[in-house]
Amino acid sequence: MPDTSNTESDEPVCPICGGVGYVRQDLPIDDPNFGKLVPCVCQQHKTNRAAQSRLYRMSNLESFKKMTFESFSVQGRLGLGDEQVFSLQNALNQARQFAASPKGWLLLSGSYGCGKTHLAAAIANTCVEYGMPTLFLTVPDLLDWLRYSYDSTDETFEQRFEEIRNVNLLVLDDLGAQNATPWAAEKLFQIIDYRYIRRLPLVVTTNQRLEDLDDRIRSRLQDPELSTHVNVTAPDYRSPVRELYDPLVHQLQLLNERTFGNFSLREPEHFSAETQASLENAFRAAQEFAEQPRGWLVLMGSYGSGKTHLAAAIGNYRKGMGDDPVFVVVPDLLDHLRATFGPSSNVTYDELFQRVKTTPLLIMDDLGTQSATPWTREKLYQIFNERYNAKLPTVITTSERLEGLDARIQSRMLDDRLCSIYAVLAPSYRGGGGGPRQERPRRPSRA
């Protein structure tokens, strides 16, 4: 028996090929394939794992890993009627049933923020956990990946198109949010029609009315022999009064209790001197910026380290001074920009994009967590480039290392004539270290 231990890896050596990767088939001596080497079954397993890992990265499911069936709230929402609660519970039940046995199609429709994406991501996460090759993409991202493949040196357009059409489970989020060019409409139809003919599992979410979708796609989505349609009637859980919802002011309203006065510097004995100093330096820098917003302030650190609190405190302080700061979570901003392409949007893409690029004070939270498609990279670069050239005050938080960001954005952040970078080395408040506590109220120091 070959040695199944591996000194260089935790993965055991294959007992069949002894780690060589190839075996000779047990064939009669007169067989033409006698003595020829063929790939061992372990190589196929490695190939399958690599393919699934690639699909997971392409899907950006890491950003949706907290979206599970267990974290989906039905009873936790306030002000819902019985019919709305029933629609949420029905959608949850149908999604669970589909994830347990992915067959046919599941169409989830409803207004923005009602929970469709959460359920679609929960299905994808469950199927990935079962080992099923799964691709989860918003429709604008899917089209971006296809466009990008025309110039890619890694794979051809045909290879990527075939992969999307044939993947075991395809989850398409936000159908209808894409820019409805003839090319986009045709590619989407080809993907959906291919899976329709072959009865391949598909999950689709949309906030569009079915009658507003492409006629050919709608007819396939409405086939009762293949597709189950679930309409979620619950309102946006982030903003029950939809008419008053403005994505560029809503987030700061949610964080209006985060001020400099209740920011915790925590207990010094829990940290090293360097860690404590990093927290205090970031705090002072945020105070000074809030008092007199100039240039760019970048706060870097792990999740829960206090970056968002400080960014929100800056916004709330300036709001109290009579300003109108814009606070956006980067992935949400990109979702809103995509949504403006939809026919039911009450705001144009140019209007929303221009507000973000030119607002006197922009606070961008969670840079780097967005899906890194060519479209998102270009939109973010355009925002940063406009604000860099105009020297507009900007606050940025990120848990990414600088080298992990778009090189064009990185180069502007490294311009120390405009930008100040502070690394918050403190661990998450939720990870110990005494937790948040009330500090005596502080005001930004006067320059």
Side-chain angles (χ1 to χ4, degrees):
M1 289 288 289
D3 180 11
T4 58
S5 63
N6 190 333
T7 57
E8 298 181 357
S9 169
D10 292 334
E11 186 176 338
V13 172
C14 175
I16 299 174
C17 66
V20 175
Y22 293 88
V23 295
R24 287 186 171 85
Q25 298 179 81
D26 185 12
L27 297 169
I29 195 169
D30 56 348
D31 190 288
N33 292 319
F34 176 78
K36 289 185 178 180
L37 291 174
V38 296
C40 178
V41 66
C42 69
Q43 295 304 301
Q44 186 59 49
H45 292 329
K46 287 181 181 178
T47 301
N48 291 342
R49 287 197 300 272
Q52 286 181 266
S53 178
R54 180 179 173 280
L55 289 174
Y56 190 80
R57 292 193 303 272
M58 186 175 172
S59 298
N60 197 37
L61 273 172
E62 183 68 22
S63 299
F64 298 92
K65 64 182 179 182
K66 293 183 180 179
M67 292 188 179
T68 65
F69 293 126
E70 290 71 25
S71 64
F72 186 80
S73 173
V74 174
Q75 301 299 334
R77 299 199 198 177
L78 300 177
L80 295 183
D82 291 342
E83 182 181 344
Q84 293 171 329
V85 171
F86 175 81
S87 78
L88 279 173
Q89 189 62 57
N90 180 50
L92 175 60
N93 293 341
Q94 292 286 352
R96 281 186 182 275
Q97 183 177 335
F98 185 94
S101 180
K103 295 177 181 177
W105 290 9
L106 178 63
L107 170 62
L108 300 170
S109 65
S111 62
Y112 182 85
C114 67
K116 307 182 304 296
T117 295
H118 188 135
L119 290 174
I123 292 172
N125 284 324
T126 301
C127 290
V128 166
E129 190 176 333
Y130 291 160
M132 184 177 192
T134 300
L135 187 56
F136 175 99
L137 288 171
T138 65
V139 172
D141 283 354
L142 177 149
L143 295 169
D144 282 346
W145 282 117
L146 288 177
R147 292 187 187 100
Y148 179 71
S149 65
Y150 283 122
D151 300 319
S152 173
T153 56
D154 297 330
E155 60 182 341
T156 66
F157 170 85
E158 289 75 16
Q159 288 172 320
R160 177 153 291 179
F161 195 55
E162 283 302 301
E163 181 177 42
I164 293 171
R165 291 202 301 182
N166 286 292
V167 67
N168 294 51
L169 172 61
L170 178 63
V171 182
L172 296 180
D173 189 36
D174 257 2
L175 177 65
Q178 71 280 357
N179 193 357
T181 65
W183 180 89
E186 190 59 31
K187 293 302 124 186
L188 271 177
F189 171 70
Q190 289 172 2
I191 290 169
I192 290 174
D193 187 56
Y194 183 93
R195 298 186 73 86
Y196 176 80
I197 292 170
R198 290 160 180 79
R199 295 307 198 248
L200 297 175
L202 175 70
V203 177
V204 174
T205 79
T206 183
N207 58 17
Q208 304 293 311
R209 298 181 307 168
L210 291 186
E211 53 265 35
D212 292 332
L213 298 176
D214 180 290
D215 291 341
R216 301 171 299 172
I217 291 176
R218 183 181 70 246
S219 69
R220 284 151 181 77
L221 290 173
Q222 291 183 311
D223 183 345
E225 293 185 2
L226 178 68
S227 182
T228 300
H229 178 199
V230 179
N231 185 47
V232 184
T233 60
D236 186 344
Y237 75 95
R238 290 160 292 202
S239 178
V241 185
R242 186 70 178 99
E243 303 80 44
L244 302 179
Y245 179 69
D246 182 342
L248 301 191
V249 300
H250 177 64
Q251 191 65 35
L252 192 56
Q253 293 171 347
L254 294 178
L255 301 172
N256 63 0
E257 82 291 351
R258 300 198 183 186
T259 66
F260 292 113
N262 61 26
F263 182 79
S264 172
L265 290 173
R266 311 191 221 178
E267 299 295 340
E269 62 268 21
H270 289 292
F271 304 135
S272 67
E274 181 185 13
T275 298
Q276 187 66 29
S278 76
L279 194 61
E280 293 174 358
N281 289 340
F283 180 77
R284 282 194 296 269
Q287 284 184 313
E288 292 169 4
F289 188 96
E291 184 65 29
Q292 197 167 39
R294 289 179 180 172
W296 290 10
L297 175 65
V298 178
L299 301 172
M300 306 178 66
S302 61
Y303 290 109
S305 61
K307 309 183 306 299
T308 297
H309 189 135
L310 290 175
I314 293 171
N316 287 321
Y317 181 80
R318 293 313 307 175
K319 191 173 181 180
M321 297 292 286
D323 291 346
D324 191 21
V326 166
F327 186 112
V328 293
V329 180
V330 173
D332 288 349
L333 168 64
L334 295 168
D335 283 345
H336 288 302
L337 287 174
R338 291 187 189 99
T340 59
F341 290 122
S344 63
S345 174
N346 59 4
V347 62
T348 66
Y349 166 82
D350 290 336
E351 177 187 354
L352 184 61
F353 197 44
Q354 193 66 17
R355 282 179 64 193
V356 175
K357 288 197 296 183
T358 61
T359 185
L361 173 58
L362 176 64
I363 303 169
M364 302 185 75
D365 191 35
D366 259 4
L367 175 67
T369 60
Q370 70 282 348
S371 177
T373 69
W375 184 87
T376 59
R377 287 198 299 267
E378 192 58 33
K379 294 305 112 181
L380 284 174
Y381 167 68
Q382 290 171 7
I383 292 170
F384 278 97
N385 193 50
E386 173 94 9
R387 300 189 69 80
Y388 177 82
N389 291 331
K391 295 181 171 56
L392 291 171
T394 306
V395 178
I396 302 151
T397 80
T398 182
S399 58
E400 290 287 315
R401 299 171 63 89
L402 275 182
E403 52 266 33
L405 299 174
D406 184 298
R408 299 172 297 177
I409 294 175
Q410 180 189 142
S411 70
R412 284 153 180 77
M413 286 185 178
L414 291 174
D415 184 350
D416 57 14
R417 297 170 300 176
L418 178 72
C419 185
S420 299
I421 301 176
Y422 289 84
V424 183
L425 304 179
S428 170
Y429 281 114
R430 296 172 289 277
R437 61 182 177 86
Q438 292 292 317
E439 299 282 344
R440 63 182 182 277
R442 299 177 175 85
R443 285 178 54 81
S445 57
R446 296 281 176 181

